[in-house]
Amino acid sequence: MTIEPVVIDFASLTRAQLRDDGGKPLEAMLLQTDDIADAVAQAVAGNYAVMPTGGLTSAIGSFEYKSDAVGGFAGVVAIRPKGTVSPHLVDADTAPENLKTDQICIRREAGTIAVGAGLTFTQVNAALADHVGGSARVLVDLTSVGSAYVGGVVATGAMGPLRMRPSSTLEAVVVADGGAPRLLTGAELDSIEGMQGWTGMVVSAVFRFYEVPPAEFGLVLPVQGTDVDAVAGLLAYLEPWTRVNLPGCSGGRLGNGDTVLNGVEMVSRDSLDAFIKHAQDPARSKAQGLLQSCEYANADMLACITGWSEQSVDDVLFSLMDPETETIGGVMIEFGVGFSSGAEMEIFRAIREGAPDMARTKARVTPEGRMKPWSTSTDVNISAPADSGAIAAILTAYADYRALVRAIAEQAGEGLEVELSAYGHLSPHGIDPHHRVSIFADLGRDAQLESLRQAVLDGKRGLIRDLVRAAQNGGAVITGGEKGVPSLVEIARALGGEEHLPDELRQRLSRARQAVGAAPLHFSFRAPAELR
């Protein structure tokens, strides 16, 4: 029996709670659906502009645009994939083009899993554990692995502690842009990954999966962030364990010996303090223990190391330790803390991700008697060689930026506060420690807020220029950022134009421009001016 598609009444849709990058509310309607291709086709046929959206917390990458940019359309529709508590497994011969947002198709012999756009990677890996084996997983290791949708991860080009873009293990992506859904493979993936939905909307994605060592672990080492040489020495020392050597075939065992470090993350002591004030036990008590470790070690940051191993966490600690110095890359382990698989790792993740989550949440909430906070975060991903000098130069640029922000905060004046929260990635294959600056101002302090905002943005542009120089001088490679193409645009703007970008980034931006130019205006209306 043929089921007739439901005709969507766009005029009856509720308003989407979205804002553009400038903080301006977006006049868009919200449509949640399990059939993205049909919804997009109806929207385009009705002359609606389409904004793919996920968690509805923001419209990252939408950029500021004038109302006349959508003047020729009937309106803007924010289309969100419908998620599910329990994904539906379908036959292995189901084509990716036919998947609904909550469906999964596993081809075990091929080592691939096709997933609908409305699923999370926690759900994807749980399905692999149930139907392939507990050690099988897709290597998209996001910090938001339990909440970010597959479609949004591909569209943003998001990376987690592994510092691997989705395309590293992507076989194919199905895209809807108004016509029949299209299957993209190979070099075609560039036209959708990291493009924020400017060229179409992800319907489903096909990933290769691999087997990883069975035990998950975490190690926390207190470090002094101002001692960039010491932190750089630690990262250079850990580099051999952070190489993720993919096997030659899908479904094979991940290479790199019996221990693989899949992330080195940073959490500042300030962020840990903020987390403790709002967290609940048992995470709160464990975080207090980590704070005490910082105090004992006279440290202002935590280096959070995660990985998979055949060994117990205690054995991993000793396998990483240099027997001559009894340190890990020069860092004393006396005040280190270990976490093992299961509930302990869940607590570890709650602490590691609680700090940045609180910083982002606080930046979105307007306090009583104050203006809406202004916030900006750094996002420049750098792959560095195992050279402590090259890594130290990168970390020095961040230390200088932190010092600048603190100086701005001290000069802020009455009724103004400047907060800095540092967290994120220190893997040598993806150094990208996010530094979020938030400014809070009393009502009526518009001019002072604008002055502080410009000072921070000037400092951020200086940081990006310093990072580019440090990378070029030290043999490192800037690979972009976690926001995909918007990160490239921001880097280009800071450098004074894309002609100043490193060659590979300039070529990626050129390919992005071609993809936007070929996309329907129903999607490309949101793209930045540099790409239109």
Side-chain angles (χ1 to χ4, degrees):
M1 183 177 70
T2 302
I3 300 175
E4 293 296 325
V6 176
V7 177
I8 300 169
D9 181 7
F10 290 96
S12 68
L13 297 175
T14 58
R15 181 174 171 177
Q17 300 299 313
L18 295 171
R19 293 179 180 272
D20 68 12
D21 286 358
K24 181 177 61 180
L26 298 176
E27 296 296 331
M29 297 167 289
L30 175 63
L31 172 62
Q32 190 169 6
T33 179
D34 66 353
D35 191 341
I36 290 173
D38 176 66
V40 167
Q42 290 196 49
V44 171
N47 196 33
Y48 284 92
V50 178
M51 175 184 291
T53 187
L56 302 181
T57 55
S58 65
I60 295 298
S62 65
F63 289 87
E64 295 185 76
Y65 57 86
K66 305 297 183 183
S67 57
D68 57 8
V70 292
F73 296 107
V76 180
V77 179
I79 299 181
R80 186 189 191 201
K82 184 178 289 185
T84 183
V85 174
S86 300
H88 300 292
L89 187 69
V90 298
D91 292 340
D93 58 356
T94 303
E97 294 94 327
N98 295 330
L99 285 181
K100 296 295 191 290
T101 59
D102 60 351
Q103 292 179 334
I104 286 179
C105 173
I106 299 175
R107 295 178 179 174
R108 185 166 183 169
E109 292 185 359
T112 64
I113 180 169
V115 293
L119 299 177
T120 70
F121 284 96
T122 293
Q123 293 173 319
V124 172
N125 286 326
L128 286 173
D130 289 341
H131 299 283
V132 177
S135 297
R137 64 185 297 129
V138 169
L139 296 182
V140 178
D141 189 32
L142 300 166
T143 52
S144 53
V145 66
S147 58
Y149 284 168
V150 166
V153 171
V154 173
T156 58
M159 297 183 288
L162 275 168
R163 311 318 290 151
M164 293 170 60
R165 292 207 302 269
S167 55
S168 300
T169 57
L170 259 180
E171 282 284 308
V173 174
V174 177
V175 176
D177 60 9
R182 296 181 293 116
L183 184 73
L184 306 182
T185 59
E188 295 174 316
L189 295 175
D190 266 356
S191 68
I192 192 70
E193 183 187 47
M195 297 292 285
Q196 308 292 326
W198 300 329
T199 57
M201 187 165 181
V202 175
V203 172
S204 63
V206 183
F207 290 91
R208 299 184 294 278
F209 63 81
Y210 301 95
E211 287 192 16
V212 300
E216 188 181 21
F217 68 87
L219 292 173
V220 177
L221 298 177
V223 296
Q224 185 62 38
T226 55
D227 190 349
V228 294
D229 291 329
V231 178
L234 170 67
L235 301 185
Y237 177 83
L238 292 176
E239 191 274 340
W241 287 277
T242 61
R243 297 174 193 158
V244 180
N245 301 316
L246 298 179
C249 60
S250 300
R253 173 64 182 267
L254 194 70
N256 201 20
D258 61 5
T259 297
V260 180
L261 300 187
N262 58 29
V264 184
E265 305 286 298
M266 174 182 72
V267 175
S268 68
R269 182 169 174 171
D270 291 343
S271 298
L272 192 61
D273 272 326
F275 176 81
I276 291 170
K277 291 176 183 176
H278 299 91
Q280 303 294 319
D281 282 328
R284 182 174 181 272
S285 297
K286 200 71 173 182
Q288 286 175 322
L290 294 178
L291 182 61
Q292 194 172 53
S293 296
C294 282
E295 292 171 351
Y296 291 156
N298 192 30
D300 64 352
M301 290 185 180
L302 299 174
C304 303
I305 303 167
T306 56
W308 302 295
S309 182
E310 298 280 359
Q311 308 178 68
S312 69
V313 65
D314 290 336
D315 290 336
V316 169
L317 180 66
F318 285 106
S319 69
L320 294 177
M321 189 171 63
D322 184 337
E324 293 186 4
T325 63
E326 296 188 344
T327 67
I328 297 179
V331 175
M332 300 293 294
I333 65 172
E334 181 180 359
F335 302 115
V337 179
F339 295 82
S340 57
S341 294
E344 280 202 356
M345 282 302 295
E346 292 305 313
I347 293 173
F348 171 85
R349 276 187 281 267
I351 296 171
R352 187 187 66 179
E353 300 315 312
D357 283 346
M358 286 185 179
R360 287 189 290 262
T361 299
K362 189 173 181 181
R364 288 197 296 264
V365 177
T366 302
E368 186 176 352
R370 296 195 132 181
M371 293 186 285
K372 184 182 185 298
W374 176 83
S375 185
T376 185
S377 180
T378 63
D379 182 31
V380 181
N381 194 69
I382 304 176
S383 178
D387 179 276
S388 58
I391 297 173
I394 295 167
L395 298 181
T396 296
Y398 282 107
D400 291 344
Y401 180 63
R402 290 195 297 272
L404 174 65
V405 172
R406 291 188 179 112
I408 293 172
E410 290 176 0
Q411 301 166 10
E414 185 179 355
L416 297 154
E417 293 179 45
V418 180
E419 292 188 0
L420 170 65
S421 183
Y423 49 86
H425 315 288
L426 289 178
S427 170
H429 301 285
I431 300 174
D432 189 3
H434 305 307
H435 287 56
R436 177 169 292 281
V437 180
S438 300
I439 303 178
F440 304 85
D442 290 348
L443 292 172
R445 301 275 180 175
D446 303 68
Q448 294 92 330
L449 172 61
E450 178 61 21
S451 177
L452 292 177
R453 189 179 80 90
Q454 289 300 328
V456 171
L457 288 176
D458 286 345
K460 184 178 176 182
R461 285 188 286 267
L463 167 66
I464 293 173
R465 292 191 291 268
D466 289 344
L467 290 174
V468 170
R469 282 193 294 269
Q472 291 173 337
N473 294 336
V477 177
I478 294 181
T479 61
E482 290 187 0
K483 296 183 179 67
V485 176
S487 296
L488 300 185
V489 171
E490 181 178 50
I491 295 170
R493 289 175 177 175
L495 297 180
E498 64 182 275
E499 65 272 14
H500 301 296
L501 284 172
D503 290 344
E504 198 276 334
L505 298 189
R506 188 169 63 252
Q507 293 167 9
R508 278 178 57 194
L509 205 56
S510 176
R511 292 195 297 271
R513 183 179 297 104
Q514 293 173 12
V516 168
L521 289 175
H522 301 79
F523 289 90
S524 63
F525 73 99
R526 297 185 300 118
E530 290 90 338
L531 300 184
R532 285 187 273 140

